[in-house]
Amino acid sequence: MTSEPGSAPPTTTHVRTVTDGVTRVFAWEEGARIEVRHLGGETVIEANAAGLRTLAGHLLTLAQDGTPDGTHLHMEQDNGLEAGSVGLVLERCDGV
């Protein structure tokens, strides 16, 4: 990825994962800005409209039929999140 520090990934950024022979694509919308902060006992996810749509798309990708339990996406500062963000893991868990 060739984005500048603190900037959202370019529109061509797609993460492709293959699990059980099924390809899933995670894509970032143009202009997406997502910041994750931990404030004591709370975690704040702050995003512009494009960032919220990007997160929603990631969650819908994980929710697709046939996605195995434990499939996940790591997001970190300068890798999908704004500089200064704490890491965020989106994971599917169908177990109890």
Side-chain angles (χ1 to χ4, degrees):
M1 180 164 44
T2 59
S3 64
E4 298 192 19
S7 65
T11 58
T12 56
T13 298
H14 291 71
V15 175
R16 297 185 194 292
T17 63
V18 179
T19 309
D20 291 348
V22 177
T23 301
R24 298 205 168 42
V25 178
F26 296 91
W28 278 256
E29 190 170 306
E30 181 176 1
R33 188 191 63 72
I34 305 165
E35 183 176 348
V36 180
R37 298 185 311 270
H38 183 69
L39 304 174
E42 296 181 321
T43 300
V44 176
I45 299 174
E46 178 181 286
N48 62 6
L52 291 171
R53 286 189 296 269
T54 295
L55 284 171
H58 294 345
L59 294 171
L60 288 170
T61 297
L62 288 169
Q64 290 175 353
D65 289 341
T67 300
D69 195 42
T71 300
H72 60 278
L73 174 67
H74 288 263
M75 299 176 71
E76 300 167 344
Q77 86 173 356
D78 299 328
N79 183 25
L81 300 178
E82 294 290 303
S85 290
V86 297
L88 176 67
V89 178
L90 304 176
E91 181 173 359
R92 179 171 180 149
C93 178
D94 294 319
V96 198

Coordinates of all heavy atoms in Angstrom, one line a residue:
M1 N 0.9 -1.2 0.0 CA 0.0 0.0 0.0 C 0.9 1.2 0.0 O 1.9 1.3 0.7 CB -0.9 0.0 1.2 CG -1.8 1.1 1.4 SD -3.2 0.8 2.5 CE -2.4 0.1 3.9
T2 N 0.5 2.2 -0.8 CA 1.4 3.4 -0.9 C 0.6 4.7 -0.4 O 0.6 5.7 -1.1 CB 1.8 3.6 -2.3 OG1 0.6 3.7 -3.1 CG2 2.7 2.5 -2.8
S3 N 0.0 4.6 0.8 CA -0.7 5.8 1.3 C 0.3 6.5 2.2 O 1.3 6.0 2.7 CB -1.9 5.4 2.0 OG -1.6 4.6 3.2
E4 N 0.0 7.8 2.4 CA 0.8 8.6 3.3 C 0.3 8.4 4.7 O -0.8 8.0 5.0 CB 0.6 10.1 2.9 CG 1.1 10.4 1.5 CD 1.2 11.9 1.3 OE1 1.2 12.6 2.2 OE2 1.2 12.2 0.1
P5 N 1.3 8.5 5.7 CA 0.9 8.2 7.1 C -0.3 9.1 7.5 O -0.4 10.3 7.2 CB 2.1 8.6 7.9 CG 3.3 8.5 6.9 CD 2.6 8.8 5.5
G6 N -1.3 8.4 8.2 CA -2.4 9.1 8.6 C -3.5 9.3 7.6 O -4.6 9.9 7.9
S7 N -3.3 8.8 6.4 CA -4.3 8.9 5.4 C -5.0 7.6 5.2 O -4.5 6.5 5.5 CB -3.7 9.4 4.1 OG -2.9 8.4 3.5
A8 N -6.2 7.7 4.6 CA -7.0 6.4 4.3 C -6.3 5.7 3.2 O -5.6 6.3 2.4 CB -8.4 6.8 4.0
P9 N -6.5 4.4 3.1 CA -6.0 3.7 2.0 C -6.6 4.2 0.7 O -7.7 4.7 0.6 CB -6.5 2.2 2.2 CG -6.8 2.2 3.7 CD -7.3 3.6 4.0
P10 N -5.8 4.1 -0.4 CA -6.3 4.5 -1.7 C -7.5 3.6 -2.1 O -7.7 2.6 -1.6 CB -5.2 4.3 -2.7 CG -4.3 3.3 -2.0 CD -4.5 3.5 -0.5
T11 N -8.3 4.1 -3.1 CA -9.5 3.4 -3.5 C -9.2 2.1 -4.1 O -10.1 1.2 -4.1 CB -10.3 4.3 -4.5 OG1 -9.5 4.5 -5.6 CG2 -10.8 5.5 -3.9
T12 N -8.0 1.8 -4.5 CA -7.7 0.6 -5.1 C -7.3 -0.5 -4.1 O -7.0 -1.6 -4.5 CB -6.6 0.7 -6.1 OG1 -5.5 1.3 -5.5 CG2 -7.0 1.6 -7.3
T13 N -7.3 -0.1 -2.8 CA -6.9 -1.1 -1.8 C -8.0 -2.1 -1.6 O -9.1 -1.8 -1.2 CB -6.6 -0.4 -0.5 OG1 -5.5 0.5 -0.7 CG2 -6.2 -1.4 0.6
H14 N -7.7 -3.3 -1.8 CA -8.6 -4.5 -1.5 C -7.7 -5.5 -0.8 O -6.6 -5.8 -1.2 CB -9.1 -5.1 -2.8 CG -10.0 -4.2 -3.6 ND1 -9.7 -3.1 -4.2 CD2 -11.4 -4.3 -3.7 CE1 -10.7 -2.5 -4.8 NE2 -11.8 -3.2 -4.5
V15 N -8.3 -6.1 0.2 CA -7.6 -7.2 0.9 C -8.5 -8.5 0.5 O -9.7 -8.5 0.7 CB -7.6 -7.0 2.4 CG1 -7.1 -8.3 3.1 CG2 -6.8 -5.8 2.8
R16 N -7.8 -9.4 -0.1 CA -8.5 -10.6 -0.5 C -8.0 -11.8 0.4 O -6.8 -11.9 0.7 CB -8.1 -11.0 -1.9 CG -8.5 -10.0 -3.0 CD -8.2 -10.5 -4.4 NE -8.3 -9.5 -5.4 CZ -9.4 -8.8 -5.8 NH1 -10.6 -9.1 -5.2 NH2 -9.4 -7.9 -6.7
T17 N -9.0 -12.5 0.9 CA -8.7 -13.6 1.8 C -9.3 -14.9 1.2 O -10.4 -14.7 0.6 CB -9.2 -13.5 3.2 OG1 -10.6 -13.3 3.2 CG2 -8.5 -12.2 3.9
V18 N -8.7 -16.0 1.3 CA -9.3 -17.2 0.8 C -9.4 -18.2 2.0 O -8.4 -18.5 2.6 CB -8.4 -17.9 -0.3 CG1 -9.0 -19.2 -0.8 CG2 -8.3 -16.9 -1.5
T19 N -10.6 -18.5 2.3 CA -10.8 -19.4 3.4 C -11.7 -20.5 3.0 O -12.8 -20.3 2.4 CB -11.5 -18.7 4.6 OG1 -10.8 -17.5 4.9 CG2 -11.6 -19.6 5.9
D20 N -11.3 -21.7 3.1 CA -12.1 -22.9 2.7 C -12.4 -22.8 1.2 O -13.5 -23.1 0.7 CB -13.4 -23.1 3.5 CG -13.1 -23.5 4.9 OD1 -11.9 -23.9 5.2 OD2 -14.0 -23.5 5.7
G21 N -11.5 -22.2 0.4 CA -11.6 -22.1 -1.0 C -12.5 -21.0 -1.5 O -12.8 -20.8 -2.7
V22 N -13.0 -20.2 -0.5 CA -13.9 -19.0 -0.9 C -13.1 -17.7 -0.7 O -12.5 -17.5 0.3 CB -15.2 -19.0 0.0 CG1 -16.0 -17.8 -0.3 CG2 -16.0 -20.3 -0.2
T23 N -13.1 -16.9 -1.8 CA -12.4 -15.6 -1.7 C -13.4 -14.5 -1.2 O -14.5 -14.4 -1.6 CB -11.9 -15.2 -3.1 OG1 -11.0 -16.2 -3.6 CG2 -11.2 -13.9 -3.1
R24 N -12.9 -13.8 -0.2 CA -13.6 -12.7 0.3 C -12.8 -11.4 0.1 O -11.6 -11.4 0.2 CB -13.9 -12.9 1.8 CG -14.7 -14.1 2.0 CD -15.5 -14.1 3.2 NE -16.5 -15.1 3.3 CZ -16.5 -16.4 2.9 NH1 -15.4 -16.8 2.3 NH2 -17.5 -17.2 3.0
V25 N -13.4 -10.3 -0.3 CA -12.7 -9.1 -0.6 C -13.1 -8.0 0.4 O -14.3 -7.7 0.6 CB -13.0 -8.6 -2.0 CG1 -12.3 -7.3 -2.3 CG2 -12.6 -9.7 -3.0
F26 N -12.2 -7.4 1.1 CA -12.4 -6.2 1.9 C -11.9 -5.0 1.2 O -10.7 -5.0 0.8 CB -11.6 -6.4 3.3 CG -12.1 -7.6 4.1 CD1 -11.5 -8.8 3.9 CD2 -13.1 -7.4 5.0 CE1 -11.9 -9.9 4.7 CE2 -13.6 -8.5 5.7 CZ -13.0 -9.7 5.6
A27 N -12.8 -4.0 1.0 CA -12.4 -2.8 0.2 C -12.6 -1.6 1.0 O -13.5 -1.5 1.8 CB -13.2 -2.8 -1.1
W28 N -11.8 -0.6 0.7 CA -11.9 0.7 1.4 C -12.5 1.7 0.4 O -12.0 1.9 -0.7 CB -10.5 1.2 1.9 CG -10.1 0.6 3.2 CD1 -10.1 1.3 4.4 CD2 -9.6 -0.7 3.4 NE1 -9.7 0.4 5.4 CE2 -9.4 -0.8 4.8 CE3 -9.4 -1.8 2.6 CZ2 -8.9 -1.9 5.4 CZ3 -8.9 -2.9 3.2 CH2 -8.6 -3.0 4.6
E29 N -13.5 2.4 0.8 CA -14.1 3.4 0.0 C -13.2 4.7 -0.1 O -12.5 5.0 0.9 CB -15.5 3.8 0.6 CG -16.3 4.7 -0.3 CD -17.7 4.8 0.3 OE1 -18.4 3.8 0.5 OE2 -18.1 6.0 0.4
E30 N -13.3 5.4 -1.2 CA -12.5 6.6 -1.4 C -12.8 7.6 -0.3 O -13.9 7.8 0.0 CB -12.7 7.2 -2.8 CG -11.9 8.4 -3.0 CD -12.2 9.0 -4.4 OE1 -13.0 8.4 -5.2 OE2 -11.5 10.0 -4.8
G31 N -11.7 8.1 0.3 CA -11.9 9.2 1.3 C -12.2 8.6 2.7 O -12.4 9.4 3.6
A32 N -12.2 7.3 2.9 CA -12.5 6.7 4.2 C -11.5 7.2 5.2 O -10.3 7.2 5.0 CB -12.5 5.2 4.1
R33 N -12.0 7.6 6.4 CA -11.2 8.0 7.5 C -11.7 7.3 8.7 O -12.9 7.5 9.0 CB -11.1 9.5 7.7 CG -10.1 9.9 8.8 CD -10.3 11.3 9.2 NE -11.6 11.6 9.8 CZ -11.9 11.3 11.0 NH1 -11.1 10.5 11.8 NH2 -13.1 11.6 11.5
I34 N -10.9 6.4 9.3 CA -11.4 5.6 10.5 C -10.3 5.8 11.6 O -9.1 5.5 11.3 CB -11.5 4.1 10.2 CG1 -12.5 4.0 9.0 CG2 -12.0 3.4 11.4 CD1 -12.4 2.6 8.3
E35 N -10.7 6.2 12.8 CA -9.8 6.3 13.9 C -10.4 5.5 15.1 O -11.6 5.6 15.3 CB -9.6 7.8 14.3 CG -8.6 7.9 15.4 CD -8.4 9.4 15.7 OE1 -8.8 10.3 15.0 OE2 -7.8 9.7 16.8
V36 N -9.6 4.8 15.8 CA -10.0 4.0 16.9 C -9.2 4.4 18.1 O -7.9 4.4 18.1 CB -9.8 2.5 16.7 CG1 -10.3 1.7 17.9 CG2 -10.6 2.0 15.4
R37 N -9.9 4.8 19.2 CA -9.2 5.3 20.4 C -9.7 4.5 21.6 O -10.9 4.2 21.6 CB -9.4 6.8 20.6 CG -8.9 7.7 19.5 CD -9.1 9.1 19.9 NE -10.4 9.5 20.3 CZ -11.4 9.9 19.5 NH1 -11.2 10.0 18.3 NH2 -12.6 10.3 20.1
H38 N -8.8 4.2 22.5 CA -9.3 3.6 23.8 C -9.2 4.7 24.8 O -8.1 5.3 25.1 CB -8.3 2.4 24.1 CG -8.7 1.7 25.3 ND1 -9.9 0.9 25.4 CD2 -8.2 1.6 26.6 CE1 -10.0 0.4 26.6 NE2 -9.0 0.8 27.3
L39 N -10.3 5.0 25.4 CA -10.4 6.0 26.5 C -10.9 5.4 27.8 O -12.1 5.3 28.1 CB -11.5 7.1 26.0 CG -11.2 7.7 24.7 CD1 -12.3 8.7 24.3 CD2 -9.9 8.5 24.7
G40 N -9.9 4.9 28.5 CA -10.3 4.3 29.8 C -11.1 3.0 29.6 O -10.6 2.1 29.0
G41 N -12.3 3.0 30.0 CA -13.2 1.8 29.9 C -14.0 1.8 28.6 O -14.8 0.9 28.5
E42 N -13.7 2.7 27.7 CA -14.5 2.8 26.4 C -13.5 2.7 25.2 O -12.4 3.2 25.3 CB -15.3 4.0 26.3 CG -16.4 4.2 27.4 CD -17.2 5.5 27.2 OE1 -16.6 6.5 26.9 OE2 -18.4 5.4 27.4
T43 N -14.0 2.2 24.1 CA -13.4 2.2 22.9 C -14.2 3.1 21.9 O -15.4 2.8 21.8 CB -13.1 0.8 22.3 OG1 -12.3 0.1 23.2 CG2 -12.4 0.9 20.9
V44 N -13.6 4.0 21.3 CA -14.3 4.9 20.4 C -13.9 4.7 19.0 O -12.7 4.7 18.7 CB -14.1 6.4 20.8 CG1 -14.8 7.3 19.7 CG2 -14.5 6.7 22.2
I45 N -14.8 4.4 18.1 CA -14.6 4.3 16.7 C -15.1 5.5 16.0 O -16.4 5.7 16.0 CB -15.2 3.0 16.1 CG1 -14.6 1.8 16.7 CG2 -14.9 3.0 14.5 CD1 -15.2 0.5 16.3
E46 N -14.3 6.4 15.5 CA -14.7 7.6 14.9 C -14.4 7.6 13.4 O -13.3 7.2 13.0 CB -13.9 8.8 15.5 CG -14.3 10.2 14.9 CD -13.4 11.3 15.6 OE1 -13.7 11.6 16.8 OE2 -12.5 11.7 15.0
A47 N -15.4 7.8 12.6 CA -15.2 7.7 11.2 C -16.1 8.7 10.4 O -17.1 9.1 10.9 CB -15.5 6.3 10.7
N48 N -15.6 9.1 9.2 CA -16.5 9.9 8.4 C -17.4 9.0 7.7 O -17.4 7.7 7.9 CB -15.6 10.8 7.4 CG -14.8 9.9 6.4 OD1 -14.9 8.7 6.4 ND2 -14.0 10.6 5.7
A49 N -18.3 9.5 6.8 CA -19.4 8.7 6.2 C -18.7 7.6 5.4 O -19.2 6.4 5.4 CB -20.3 9.5 5.3
A50 N -17.7 7.9 4.6 CA -17.0 6.9 3.8 C -16.4 5.8 4.7 O -16.4 4.6 4.4 CB -15.9 7.5 2.9
G51 N -15.8 6.2 5.8 CA -15.2 5.3 6.8 C -16.3 4.3 7.4 O -16.1 3.1 7.5
L52 N -17.4 4.9 7.7 CA -18.5 4.1 8.3 C -19.0 3.1 7.2 O -19.3 1.9 7.5 CB -19.7 5.0 8.8 CG -19.4 5.8 10.0 CD1 -20.5 6.8 10.2 CD2 -19.1 4.9 11.2
R53 N -19.1 3.5 6.0 CA -19.6 2.6 4.9 C -18.5 1.5 4.7 O -18.8 0.3 4.5 CB -19.8 3.3 3.6 CG -21.1 4.1 3.6 CD -21.5 4.7 2.3 NE -20.5 5.6 1.8 CZ -20.6 6.9 2.0 NH1 -21.6 7.5 2.7 NH2 -19.7 7.7 1.5
T54 N -17.2 1.9 4.8 CA -16.1 0.9 4.7 C -16.2 -0.2 5.8 O -16.2 -1.4 5.6 CB -14.8 1.6 4.7 OG1 -14.7 2.4 3.6 CG2 -13.6 0.6 4.8
L55 N -16.4 0.3 7.1 CA -16.6 -0.6 8.2 C -17.8 -1.5 8.0 O -17.7 -2.7 8.2 CB -16.7 0.1 9.5 CG -15.4 0.7 10.1 CD1 -15.7 1.6 11.3 CD2 -14.4 -0.4 10.4
A56 N -18.9 -0.9 7.6 CA -20.1 -1.7 7.3 C -19.8 -2.8 6.3 O -20.3 -3.9 6.4 CB -21.3 -0.8 6.9
G57 N -19.1 -2.4 5.2 CA -18.8 -3.4 4.2 C -17.9 -4.5 4.7 O -18.1 -5.7 4.4
H58 N -17.0 -4.2 5.6 CA -16.1 -5.2 6.2 C -17.0 -6.2 7.0 O -16.8 -7.4 6.9 CB -15.0 -4.6 7.1 CG -14.0 -3.8 6.4 ND1 -13.8 -3.8 5.0 CD2 -13.1 -2.9 6.8 CE1 -12.8 -3.0 4.7 NE2 -12.4 -2.4 5.8
L59 N -17.9 -5.6 7.8 CA -18.7 -6.5 8.6 C -19.7 -7.4 7.8 O -19.9 -8.5 8.1 CB -19.5 -5.6 9.6 CG -18.7 -4.9 10.7 CD1 -19.6 -3.9 11.4 CD2 -18.0 -5.9 11.6
L60 N -20.2 -6.8 6.7 CA -21.1 -7.6 5.8 C -20.3 -8.7 5.1 O -20.8 -9.8 4.9 CB -21.7 -6.7 4.8 CG -22.8 -5.8 5.3 CD1 -23.3 -4.8 4.3 CD2 -24.0 -6.6 5.8
T61 N -19.0 -8.4 4.8 CA -18.1 -9.4 4.2 C -18.0 -10.6 5.2 O -18.1 -11.8 4.8 CB -16.8 -8.8 3.8 OG1 -17.0 -7.8 2.8 CG2 -15.8 -9.9 3.2
L62 N -17.7 -10.3 6.4 CA -17.5 -11.3 7.4 C -18.8 -12.1 7.7 O -18.8 -13.2 8.1 CB -17.0 -10.7 8.7 CG -15.6 -10.3 8.7 CD1 -15.3 -9.5 10.0 CD2 -14.6 -11.5 8.6
A63 N -20.0 -11.4 7.5 CA -21.3 -12.0 7.7 C -21.8 -12.9 6.6 O -22.8 -13.6 6.7 CB -22.3 -11.0 8.0
Q64 N -21.1 -12.9 5.4 CA -21.5 -13.7 4.3 C -21.7 -15.2 4.7 O -20.9 -15.8 5.5 CB -20.5 -13.6 3.1 CG -20.4 -12.3 2.5 CD -19.3 -12.2 1.4 OE1 -18.5 -13.2 1.3 NE2 -19.3 -11.1 0.7
D65 N -22.7 -15.8 4.0 CA -22.9 -17.3 4.2 C -21.6 -18.0 3.9 O -21.0 -17.7 2.9 CB -24.1 -17.8 3.4 CG -25.4 -17.3 3.9 OD1 -25.5 -16.8 5.0 OD2 -26.4 -17.3 3.1
G66 N -21.3 -19.0 4.7 CA -20.2 -19.8 4.4 C -18.9 -19.3 5.0 O -17.8 -20.0 4.9
T67 N -18.9 -18.1 5.6 CA -17.6 -17.6 6.2 C -17.4 -18.4 7.5 O -18.3 -18.4 8.4 CB -17.8 -16.1 6.5 OG1 -18.0 -15.4 5.3 CG2 -16.5 -15.6 7.2
P68 N -16.2 -19.0 7.6 CA -16.0 -19.9 8.8 C -15.8 -19.1 10.0 O -15.3 -17.9 10.0 CB -14.7 -20.6 8.4 CG -14.4 -20.4 7.0 CD -15.2 -19.1 6.6
D69 N -16.2 -19.7 11.1 CA -15.9 -19.1 12.5 C -14.4 -18.8 12.6 O -13.6 -19.6 12.2 CB -16.3 -20.2 13.5 CG -16.5 -19.7 14.9 OD1 -17.0 -18.6 15.0 OD2 -16.0 -20.3 15.8
G70 N -14.1 -17.7 13.1 CA -12.7 -17.3 13.4 C -12.1 -16.4 12.2 O -11.0 -15.9 12.4
T71 N -12.8 -16.3 11.1 CA -12.3 -15.5 10.0 C -12.3 -14.0 10.6 O -13.2 -13.6 11.2 CB -13.2 -15.5 8.8 OG1 -13.3 -16.9 8.3 CG2 -12.7 -14.6 7.7
H72 N -11.2 -13.3 10.3 CA -11.0 -12.0 10.9 C -10.2 -11.1 10.0 O -9.5 -11.5 9.1 CB -10.4 -12.1 12.3 CG -9.0 -12.7 12.3 ND1 -8.9 -14.1 12.3 CD2 -7.8 -12.2 12.3 CE1 -7.6 -14.4 12.3 NE2 -6.9 -13.2 12.3
L73 N -10.2 -9.8 10.3 CA -9.5 -8.8 9.6 C -8.8 -7.9 10.7 O -9.5 -7.4 11.6 CB -10.4 -7.9 8.7 CG -9.8 -6.7 8.1 CD1 -8.8 -7.1 7.0 CD2 -10.9 -5.8 7.4
H74 N -7.5 -7.7 10.6 CA -6.8 -6.8 11.5 C -6.6 -5.5 10.8 O -6.2 -5.3 9.6 CB -5.3 -7.4 11.7 CG -5.3 -8.6 12.6 ND1 -5.0 -8.5 13.9 CD2 -5.5 -9.9 12.3 CE1 -5.0 -9.7 14.4 NE2 -5.3 -10.5 13.5
M75 N -7.0 -4.4 11.6 CA -6.8 -3.0 11.1 C -5.9 -2.3 12.1 O -6.1 -2.5 13.3 CB -8.2 -2.3 11.0 CG -9.1 -3.0 10.0 SD -10.7 -2.2 9.9 CE -10.3 -0.7 9.2
E76 N -4.9 -1.6 11.6 CA -4.0 -0.9 12.5 C -3.7 0.5 11.9 O -4.0 0.7 10.8 CB -2.7 -1.7 12.5 CG -2.9 -3.1 13.1 CD -1.7 -4.1 12.9 OE1 -0.8 -3.7 12.0 OE2 -1.6 -5.1 13.5
Q77 N -3.0 1.3 12.7 CA -2.7 2.6 12.2 C -1.8 2.5 11.0 O -1.0 1.6 10.9 CB -2.0 3.4 13.3 CG -0.5 3.3 13.5 CD 0.0 4.3 14.5 OE1 -0.7 5.2 15.0 NE2 1.3 4.2 14.7
D78 N -2.1 3.3 10.0 CA -1.4 3.3 8.7 C -1.6 2.1 7.9 O -1.0 1.8 6.9 CB 0.1 3.6 8.9 CG 0.4 4.9 9.5 OD1 -0.3 5.9 9.3 OD2 1.4 5.0 10.3
N79 N -2.6 1.2 8.3 CA -3.0 0.1 7.6 C -4.5 0.0 7.7 O -5.1 -0.9 8.3 CB -2.3 -1.2 8.1 CG -2.7 -2.4 7.4 OD1 -3.1 -2.4 6.2 ND2 -2.7 -3.6 8.0
G80 N -5.2 1.0 7.2 CA -6.6 1.1 7.3 C -7.2 2.0 8.3 O -8.3 2.4 8.3
L81 N -6.4 2.4 9.3 CA -6.8 3.3 10.4 C -5.9 4.5 10.4 O -4.8 4.5 9.9 CB -6.7 2.6 11.7 CG -7.6 1.4 12.0 CD1 -7.4 0.8 13.4 CD2 -9.1 1.7 11.7
E82 N -6.4 5.6 10.9 CA -5.6 6.9 11.0 C -4.5 6.7 12.0 O -4.5 5.8 12.9 CB -6.5 8.0 11.6 CG -7.7 8.4 10.7 CD -7.2 9.1 9.4 OE1 -6.5 10.1 9.5 OE2 -7.5 8.6 8.3
A83 N -3.4 7.5 11.8 CA -2.3 7.5 12.7 C -2.7 7.8 14.1 O -3.6 8.6 14.3 CB -1.3 8.6 12.2
G84 N -2.1 7.1 15.1 CA -2.5 7.3 16.5 C -3.6 6.3 16.9 O -3.9 6.3 18.1
S85 N -4.2 5.6 16.0 CA -5.3 4.7 16.3 C -4.7 3.4 17.1 O -3.6 3.0 16.8 CB -6.0 4.2 15.1 OG -6.7 5.2 14.5
V86 N -5.5 2.9 17.9 CA -5.2 1.5 18.5 C -5.7 0.5 17.5 O -6.6 0.8 16.7 CB -5.8 1.3 19.9 CG1 -5.3 2.3 20.9 CG2 -7.4 1.4 19.8
G87 N -5.2 -0.7 17.5 CA -5.6 -1.7 16.6 C -7.0 -2.2 16.8 O -7.6 -2.1 17.9
L88 N -7.6 -2.7 15.7 CA -9.0 -3.1 15.7 C -9.0 -4.5 15.0 O -8.5 -4.6 13.9 CB -9.9 -2.1 15.1 CG -11.4 -2.5 14.9 CD1 -12.0 -2.6 16.3 CD2 -12.1 -1.5 14.0
V89 N -9.6 -5.5 15.6 CA -9.8 -6.7 14.9 C -11.3 -7.0 14.8 O -12.0 -6.9 15.7 CB -9.1 -7.9 15.7 CG1 -9.4 -9.2 15.0 CG2 -7.7 -7.7 15.9
L90 N -11.7 -7.2 13.5 CA -13.1 -7.6 13.3 C -13.1 -9.1 13.0 O -12.4 -9.6 12.2 CB -13.6 -6.9 12.0 CG -13.5 -5.4 12.0 CD1 -14.0 -4.8 10.7 CD2 -14.4 -4.8 13.1
E91 N -13.8 -9.9 13.8 CA -13.8 -11.3 13.8 C -15.2 -11.9 13.8 O -16.0 -11.5 14.6 CB -13.0 -11.9 14.9 CG -12.8 -13.4 14.9 CD -11.9 -13.9 15.9 OE1 -11.3 -13.1 16.7 OE2 -11.7 -15.1 16.0
R92 N -15.4 -12.9 13.0 CA -16.6 -13.7 13.0 C -16.5 -14.8 14.1 O -15.6 -15.5 14.2 CB -16.9 -14.3 11.7 CG -18.2 -15.1 11.7 CD -18.6 -15.6 10.4 NE -19.8 -16.3 10.4 CZ -20.7 -16.3 9.4 NH1 -20.5 -15.6 8.3 NH2 -21.8 -17.1 9.5
C93 N -17.6 -14.8 14.9 CA -17.6 -15.9 16.0 C -19.0 -16.4 16.1 O -19.9 -15.7 16.6 CB -17.1 -15.3 17.3 SG -17.2 -16.5 18.6
D94 N -19.3 -17.5 15.6 CA -20.6 -18.1 15.6 C -20.8 -19.0 16.9 O -21.9 -19.4 17.1 CB -20.9 -18.9 14.4 CG -21.0 -18.1 13.1 OD1 -21.5 -17.0 13.2 OD2 -20.4 -18.5 12.1
G95 N -19.7 -19.2 17.6 CA -19.8 -20.1 18.8 C -20.5 -19.3 19.9 O -20.7 -18.1 19.9
V96 N -20.8 -20.1 21.0 CA -21.4 -19.5 22.1 C -20.4 -18.9 23.1 O -19.4 -19.3 23.2 CB -22.3 -20.5 22.9 CG1 -23.2 -19.8 23.8 CG2 -22.9 -21.5 22.0

